[in-house]
Amino acid sequence: IVADAGIPAGRMVNAVACVAATTGALVDGLIARGGPDASGHDHPGLPWAGCTILTGTSDEVVAVRAKAAASDGVLVIDMPAAAQTHRVYDDYLAELAGTAPDDLGVCAFSVIGPRNRVDKITKKLSLMP
């Protein structure tokens, strides 16, 4: 997941959580099986591939997202800034429908694909501190 380091921490966490939830729902087989602890309490599965959070400036996030979206065999799931400005989901969708792709202002996005391709796309970004 790539997040805009320039947005407030609460908005960043919200964007990462929303993108992660959608990614887990859309990517079959991403979530591994769960298992019990020593007391027998079951714990749900987690992403078998792990989940790295990278950050960059707003411009870097937009550029990396565009590069990922243009790459064959890569799935991009994003959270445009407009998603955090509306309390009613249909209002967000209405604004999204009228927003040009270059004007989205992405808060965060996930990128799923072959590891070598994803690494090449995201190589200039830093791990979230």
Side-chain angles (χ1 to χ4, degrees):
I1 296 177
V2 176
D4 182 343
I7 63 176
R11 286 186 52 211
M12 184 189 303
V13 170
N14 172 265
V16 168
C18 290
V19 167
T22 301
T23 302
L26 290 179
V27 179
D28 288 336
L30 180 63
I31 306 301
R33 64 180 174 79
D37 60 25
S39 71
H41 178 78
D42 281 325
H43 297 269
L46 298 170
W48 62 266
C51 187
T52 302
I53 310 297
L54 304 172
T55 60
T57 65
S58 295
D59 290 342
E60 288 171 328
V61 169
V62 168
V64 171
R65 187 212 168 275
K67 189 174 182 180
S71 182
D72 289 335
V74 172
L75 172 66
V76 175
I77 299 169
D78 62 12
M79 182 169 187
Q84 293 183 330
T85 62
H86 295 284
R87 291 190 173 271
V88 178
Y89 195 75
D90 286 342
D91 293 346
Y92 155 66
L93 292 177
E95 182 174 337
L96 182 63
T99 304
D102 290 342
D103 298 330
L104 285 179
V106 177
C107 296
F109 69 92
S110 65
V111 57
I112 305 291
R115 180 175 215 106
N116 61 344
R117 192 168 307 152
V118 172
D119 286 348
K120 186 176 178 181
I121 293 167
T122 62
K123 70 181 174 185
K124 293 185 180 181
L125 299 173
S126 302
L127 281 171
M128 187 171 129

